[in-house]
Amino acid sequence: MKISITYCTSWGYLNQALSLRESIERQFGVKAELIKGMGGVFEISVNDILLFSKKELNRFPNENEVEDLLEGWEEVK
């Protein structure tokens, strides 16, 4: 499973991206790729399929929301 976190550098979302990457690695044993972005973006993709988008939902993910989505993803695969 390839997980990527695209985060906005100009808005300072690196800490959120690092925290989420650490949580994903701890829970799933997968180190997510961090990708620098712009324009307020904070997106999580699995195998190049968009799983979560801050821009679409107008919010950051809730605590454990991405991890719960990833668990569902693993069950389907």
Side-chain angles (χ1 to χ4, degrees), residues 5 15-16 32 40 50 64 69:
I5 302 168
N15 286 339
Q16 289 96 328
L50 187 62
N64 296 317
L69 290 169

Side-chain angles (χ1 to χ4, degrees), residues 1-5 16-34 44 64 66-67 70 74:
M1 177 174 13
K2 176 188 164 197
I3 302 171
S4 61
I5 302 168
Q16 289 96 328
L18 289 170
S19 177
L20 180 57
R21 179 171 73 172
E22 182 179 303
S23 178
I24 289 169
E25 185 174 7
R26 195 172 41 249
Q27 189 166 342
F28 300 100
V30 175
K31 191 165 191 170
E33 176 186 12
L34 296 182
I44 295 84
N64 296 317
V66 170
E67 294 86 340
L70 287 170
E74 281 200 325

Side-chain angles (χ1 to χ4, degrees), residues 27-73:
Q27 189 166 342
F28 300 100
V30 175
K31 191 165 191 170
E33 176 186 12
L34 296 182
I35 300 170
K36 294 177 182 180
M38 298 178 67
V41 68
F42 192 85
E43 296 180 338
I44 295 84
S45 296
V46 179
N47 299 333
D48 298 320
I49 298 171
L50 187 62
L51 183 71
F52 181 91
S53 172
K54 176 188 170 289
K55 290 193 89 152
E56 287 182 11
L57 297 173
N58 201 30
R59 64 175 176 82
F60 280 100
N62 296 319
E63 186 174 343
N64 296 317
E65 181 176 4
V66 170
E67 294 86 340
D68 290 345
L69 290 169
L70 287 170
E71 279 183 6
W73 180 272

